[in-house]
Amino acid sequence: MINKDHRLNSKVKIPYAKLRVLLVDPQRPFQIMMKGILTNFGVVNVDFCDSGEAAVRQCRAKEYDLLLVEHDLGNKNGRQLLEELRTLRLISPVSLFVIVSAETDRSIVLGTMEMAPDDYIIKPFSQRLLDLRLSRAWSKRNVLSDIYRCVDKDDYAQAIVHAKALIKSKSPHAPLIIQMMAEFMCHQKQYDEVIANLTNILKERQIPWAKIVLAQAHFGKGDLDTAQDLLHELLKDNPNNVAALDLLAKVQLEAQLIPQAKQTLARSIDLSPYSMTRHQAMVNIADKDNDLQLVKESYGQLLNLSRRSVHAGTHNLLNYTRSIIDSTANCEEAKDFNKLQNELNTALHRAKQEEGRNINYHFAVIEGVIQAQFQSAKGETLRSKKTLMSAIHSFCDEDEQWSLPSELVADTCITLMNVNDFELVDKFSDQLDPDSDIAKRVKTLISDDTLAQQKIEFKQITRQGIQAYSDNNNLEALELFSQALRLSPVSSGAILNVIQAQIKLMQSHKKYLKSLTTECKDNFRLLNGMKLSNGHQKRLDKLKSELDQLLP
């Protein structure tokens, strides 16, 4: 129900005695002081946590009406805690979340406020001030509760209905409600109504948010010039409005003004550097501009910001390491490769302590997959294949079925394509997540005309070689298998085919014994140290035994 008392002042009474309160602060003296203040307010149900991780566990076990949270909590800060609790739906859409902190750094405060806590109260503060600020936040949440519940369910159409009702009731929160309603309408693509409403508002008063949402509506309709004009006009008087800068960069990117978009978003990041959405937008812009260095830097920022947050995971690490490896395209000298190798090793060392804590397999697996990809990018084909197989061989069962962790499939496929191992690429490509961006990139690489033609030719020649071998045309089989091996020089299957044909020739015609023995031994050496599937290992052992029987 909507509270009929819309007055925004200290007379709004919070039912403190009924509130379930969680105070999250690492300082015990502050906890004791706050307990006294809350007791004076009438709070009887208050719990304490000293870290963000503990707060998440507490919210899983119990519901809270009010959370008072310090920003600086060590590993997981207050901004990350708020995002995680909302993302995982561990707090009600009408619960109050208030930052209570001594942190005043502009970029941190701005980044935190972008997550929309109910308030940000700077320490130290008086009991009276705290009561007043909590009362204001409570009043707003109480009045807008129906809207918040609709947004929590992604029901923007019903949120608009509630917003219109509140505006009609002349709520003192009307300016905020009008803004929210305009944003909801943009979400619902009701651009014409937004443009009509906001144009009238701006005739009476120049309000920054109204210009931004109006620009958003024009952008939604494809009117890029009008959107840019509105945002440039706003930024003349409000050059540090990060919301306007973000939208302008988005409009400029759509207009193919790549350098301008990059410059605009860089200004926004400089002002508020703690938004993952903002850094991901920079990745998209830099990728359009083929700026590999900026892509790498942005993925590095995303990795750092994701750690200890709800976005933590190996996908951020793999995006970053992949961007390091992609940068080898700009390498001209050995020192350039060495620099990237050091950067990669540093990232993996840190990741072992971070991402490595949250995977259900040994970190050496993911490290091996990444190092193999780097080696393949440097052209170290055989070394790359051996590194990769050492990393992933434990995921192949007795029946030659692979159960590779899904997050490693894309990078495994990239490495195998780099080394032209067509047989294994086919085994893994079907396991790609069709909805992921990296999977789409891999599918594009696999369907590349040159690679596709090589794969077709490899399979065709291999089939011909098998047929020739079956017909006891061993010399022809060897020549065909050798052609296939030239196309896929580290394919264990192709190597074994050549060895088998060589041994068969030596067995049937002693005259080949001298000429083929050295070549055969060289081919065996290609497989030294390479982890093989059970089937290939048994085949290798059998062929070694056959060669030993041939040699004096």
Side-chain angles (χ1 to χ4, degrees):
M1 294 294 291
I2 296 175
N3 192 331
K4 297 297 184 181
D5 185 358
H6 299 315
R7 289 172 294 173
L8 187 59
N9 55 52
S10 59
K11 292 182 180 179
V12 175
K13 294 299 181 182
I14 306 178
Y16 283 116
K18 297 180 181 180
L19 294 188
R20 296 159 295 183
V21 180
L22 179 63
L23 176 64
V24 189
D25 195 289
Q27 300 298 323
R28 184 60 179 164
F30 183 76
Q31 291 182 7
I32 294 171
M33 183 196 75
M34 282 299 297
K35 184 175 182 180
I37 292 176
L38 293 171
T39 299
N40 290 339
F41 288 168
V43 174
V44 294
N45 189 344
V46 56
D47 294 324
F48 301 91
C49 290
D50 58 7
S51 70
E53 291 82 1
V56 172
R57 291 193 296 271
Q58 194 70 22
C59 288
R60 288 185 188 276
K62 185 176 178 180
E63 293 185 5
Y64 290 96
D65 306 298
L66 169 62
L67 293 89
L68 299 169
V69 181
E70 164 64 53
H71 178 274
D72 186 5
L73 296 172
N75 291 327
K76 188 190 301 291
N77 62 43
R79 171 178 50 81
Q80 292 173 320
L81 175 59
L82 172 58
E83 183 177 24
E84 183 163 345
L85 294 178
R86 286 181 176 166
T87 300
L88 301 180
R89 297 178 180 271
L90 296 179
I91 56 174
S92 163
V94 294
S95 296
L96 285 185
F97 190 103
V98 177
I99 298 288
V100 182
S101 178
E103 181 60 72
T104 58
D105 180 90
R106 177 174 177 168
S107 61
I108 291 177
V109 174
L110 183 56
T112 303
M113 293 308 295
E114 286 187 287
M115 288 304 303
D118 291 280
D119 206 344
Y120 192 116
I121 303 174
I122 302 294
K123 297 177 181 177
F125 50 82
S126 67
Q127 179 172 310
R128 181 176 178 278
L129 176 64
L130 179 63
D131 185 31
L132 176 63
R133 298 282 284 272
L134 291 179
S135 295
R136 288 177 174 175
W138 181 266
S139 172
K140 184 176 76 171
R141 276 277 165 185
N142 198 23
V143 170
L144 304 181
S145 60
D146 288 335
I147 293 178
Y148 287 128
R149 288 191 178 94
C150 289
V151 172
D152 186 59
K153 298 175 184 176
D154 293 327
D155 187 354
Y156 292 96
Q158 192 60 36
I160 292 170
V161 172
H162 287 299
K164 287 181 176 179
L166 285 171
I167 293 170
K168 188 176 181 180
S169 71
K170 298 183 179 179
S171 165
H173 298 280
L176 172 61
I177 298 168
I178 292 171
Q179 177 182 351
M180 295 172 72
M181 183 176 72
E183 292 169 351
F184 299 155
M185 286 180 170
C186 278
H187 188 278
Q188 296 296 97
K189 299 183 179 181
Q190 298 174 8
Y191 300 126
D192 290 332
E193 189 173 352
V194 172
I195 291 170
N197 292 342
L198 296 185
T199 300
N200 289 332
I201 289 174
L202 288 169
K203 286 179 181 178
E204 299 178 6
R205 183 183 173 193
Q206 294 298 301
I207 306 172
W209 72 257
K211 278 193 177 179
I212 294 172
V213 180
L214 181 59
Q216 176 70 54
H218 282 290
F219 175 56
K221 292 191 68 175
D223 188 353
L224 305 184
D225 291 338
T226 301
Q228 285 190 77
D229 290 344
L230 285 165
L231 294 167
H232 281 304
E233 183 181 336
L234 170 61
L235 288 166
K236 284 182 182 179
D237 298 322
N238 301 272
N240 295 334
N241 191 309
V242 292
L245 289 168
D246 289 344
L247 180 55
L248 178 58
K250 191 175 180 180
V251 175
Q252 290 169 330
L253 177 62
E254 184 68 20
Q256 299 300 309
L257 302 173
I258 309 298
Q260 294 92 323
K262 189 191 298 184
Q263 184 179 21
T264 299
L265 193 58
R267 286 169 57 194
S268 182
I269 289 174
D270 186 57
L271 291 165
S272 185
Y274 298 106
S275 165
M276 291 188 67
T277 301
R278 196 164 288 126
H279 286 288
Q280 183 60 57
M282 184 60 90
V283 167
N284 298 338
I285 293 173
D287 188 54
K288 289 278 188 181
D289 201 31
N290 198 30
D291 188 338
L292 298 179
Q293 178 65 23
L294 184 55
V295 169
K296 177 165 68 71
E297 291 173 359
S298 299
Y299 272 133
Q301 292 293 333
L302 282 165
L303 175 59
N304 287 330
L305 289 172
S306 71
R307 284 173 169 154
R308 308 304 172 98
S309 80
V310 72
H311 303 293
T314 55
H315 62 285
N316 296 298
L317 171 64
L318 291 168
N319 280 335
Y320 179 48
T321 56
R322 209 176 292 124
S323 70
I324 294 175
I325 295 166
D326 287 344
S327 296
T328 58
N330 291 335
C331 290
E332 297 179 355
E333 301 179 12
K335 65 179 182 179
D336 298 324
F337 282 106
N338 291 338
K339 183 178 178 182
L340 288 175
Q341 180 72 74
N342 290 335
E343 191 170 351
L344 188 65
N345 291 343
T346 299
L348 290 172
H349 179 74
R350 170 90 186 272
K352 187 174 183 179
Q353 307 303 321
E354 295 285 350
E355 286 73 25
R357 297 178 303 111
N358 299 313
I359 56 177
N360 57 7
Y361 49 89
H362 200 282
F363 187 75
V365 174
I366 192 169
E367 185 173 17
V369 169
I370 292 169
Q371 292 287 13
Q373 189 179 347
F374 185 71
Q375 291 160 1
S376 72
K378 291 198 304 179
E380 299 174 351
T381 305
L382 184 59
R383 183 185 177 197
S384 169
K385 176 65 182 296
K386 290 181 178 181
T387 301
L388 179 66
M389 294 309 294
S390 293
I392 68 173
H393 79 282
S394 62
F395 297 99
C396 184
D397 65 19
E398 294 285 343
D399 299 321
E400 308 284 315
Q401 298 299 310
W402 289 87
S403 57
L404 194 63
S406 59
E407 64 267 28
L408 300 181
V409 173
D411 292 271
T412 297
C413 285
I414 290 172
T415 299
L416 292 171
M417 285 187 290
N418 287 346
V419 301
N420 280 10
D421 193 325
F422 307 117
E423 289 181 316
L424 275 181
V425 167
D426 284 346
K427 287 182 180 293
F428 293 121
S429 60
D430 290 339
Q431 299 177 35
L432 289 166
D433 177 3
D435 296 324
S436 70
D437 290 336
I438 184 58
K440 293 172 184 175
R441 171 184 164 184
V442 172
K443 289 287 189 182
T444 300
L445 291 172
I446 291 174
S447 60
D448 174 77
D449 289 342
T450 301
L451 188 67
Q453 183 58 42
Q454 284 181 325
K455 183 162 57 169
I456 292 170
E457 188 177 352
F458 171 81
K459 290 182 176 181
Q460 182 178 8
I461 292 172
T462 299
R463 282 196 298 268
Q464 292 172 351
I466 292 171
Q467 184 61 50
Y469 186 86
S470 299
D471 295 339
N472 288 319
N473 296 325
N474 299 320
L475 191 59
E476 180 185 353
L478 177 58
E479 176 56 33
L480 289 166
F481 286 147
S482 297
Q483 288 181 37
L485 184 58
R486 285 192 287 273
L487 288 169
S488 186
V490 295
S491 165
S492 57
I495 295 171
L496 289 170
N497 286 341
V498 170
I499 292 173
Q500 187 167 338
Q502 288 172 329
I503 290 176
K504 189 67 178 290
L505 266 175
M506 289 188 286
Q507 289 172 334
S508 58
H509 302 282
K510 297 300 181 182
K511 65 179 181 179
Y512 291 111
L513 193 61
K514 184 176 180 179
S515 61
L516 291 180
T517 297
T518 300
E519 291 180 22
C520 190
K521 288 181 176 179
D522 287 342
N523 286 327
F524 272 115
R525 275 192 284 272
L526 291 175
L527 297 176
N528 283 348
M530 185 183 293
K531 296 288 186 180
L532 302 175
S533 67
N534 290 326
H536 279 189
Q537 186 61 52
K538 289 177 181 178
R539 189 177 170 197
L540 175 64
D541 293 340
K542 182 175 182 294
L543 291 171
K544 280 183 178 179
S545 177
E546 291 179 3
L547 181 63
D548 288 341
Q549 293 174 15
L550 278 171
L551 300 179

